[in-house]
Amino acid sequence: MPRIDVLTLFPRMLDGFLAESILGKGLQKDLLSVTVHDLRRWTTDKHRTADDRPFGGGAGMVMKPEPVFAAMEELQSEGCRRIYLTPDGAPFTSAVASALSRERHLILLSGHYEGIDQRIRERVIDLELSIGDYVLTNGTLAAAVVIDALCRFIPGVLGEENSLTHESFTGKLLDFPQYTRPAEFRGMSVPQVLLSGNHAEIEKWRAARALEKTRIVRPDLLK
Ligand SMILES: C[S@@+](CC[C@H](N)C(=O)[O-])C[C@H]1O[C@@H](n2cnc3c(N)ncnc32)[C@H](O)[C@@H]1O
C-alpha cells in the first residue's frame, strides 16, 4: 500500500479533500494511506516560527530549514521519495503520476510565502514538481492535485464505472465528448451514431472527435 505523508502549514485545507469521492473510498479500503502533518509540530520556539526574512533583503518571508529537516528526519524511510511542490519544478504529468503511484512511500512538502530555504531543496528533497505555470499561495492544493492524480493509478481505486482506458493523456489524445440521457435536451440531440448500437462506428466516431479536439486544443500532443 503506498504511504503518503504531506507536510504543510495548512493541514485543515485537506480535510474535505481526503474524505470525499474516489480518494476517500480508496483510503477507507486501505488501498493507500495519506497522513497530513502540521509543519509547526517541528518548530521549537514559543511562537512556532516556521519562516524568516530572506538574507539579501527583498519582499516576503522564506520557510526556515530547521522544522523541515526535523520533519523529514522523523518521517523518511529507506527509499522514500521526498517531493517539493514548486512552480519552478519539473512539470507534473500523467506519466509522473503513474510512476509515483508505484512508489512505496512519498513525502510531499508544501511551501508558503516566498518559498523555502535553498538548503532544504539541496539536502532533503529528491524531486521538485510543478502542477502548472501559475503561482499558488501555498503548495497544499498542489500536493492534493498530485495525490488525486496518482491515486487513480493504484489498482482498485477506480471502480468499474470509472476507467483509465480512454482518458485524456492516457494515450496521445484528449478525451472524446460524452453524452448521457436524455437523448434530446432543449433542442440539442445526442449524435445519432451513439444511439446506433454499432460499436465499430461508435469507436470510429470517438477516435475522430478525440483527434479533432486534440488538434484544436493541444496540437503539441500530436508532435
Ligand atoms: C507564493 S509560492 C512561492 C513562489 C516562488 N517565490 C516562485 O516564484 O517560484 C508559495 C508556495 O506555493 C507552492 N506553489 C505555488 N505555485 C505552485 C505550482 N504551480 N506548483 C506547485 N507548487 C506551487 C510552492 O510550494 C511554493 O513554495
Side-chain angles (χ1 to χ4, degrees), residues 84-88 109-116 129-140 142:
Y84 173 47
L85 285 315
T86 174
D88 60 4
L109 173 63
S110 156
H112 183 45
Y113 316 113
E114 286 307 306
I116 63 175
L129 291 176
S130 164
I131 62 157
D133 290 348
Y134 41 79
V135 178
L136 304 167
T137 56
N138 78 85
T140 314

Side-chain angles (χ1 to χ4, degrees), residues 166 193-208:
H166 280 297
V193 62
L194 299 180
L195 310 174
S196 68
N198 182 332
H199 292 293
E201 282 304 308
I202 291 171
E203 281 310 306
K204 237 163 77 185
W205 181 88
R206 286 178 165 170

Side-chain angles (χ1 to χ4, degrees), residues 78-110:
E78 184 73 31
C80 77
R81 302 268 275 159
R82 301 161 298 182
I83 300 171
Y84 173 47
L85 285 315
T86 174
D88 60 4
F92 178 63
T93 61
S94 189
V96 175
S98 168
L100 292 181
S101 74
R102 293 187 290 275
E103 295 283 345
R104 193 183 45 78
H105 183 196
L106 303 173
I107 304 180
L108 304 181
L109 173 63
S110 156

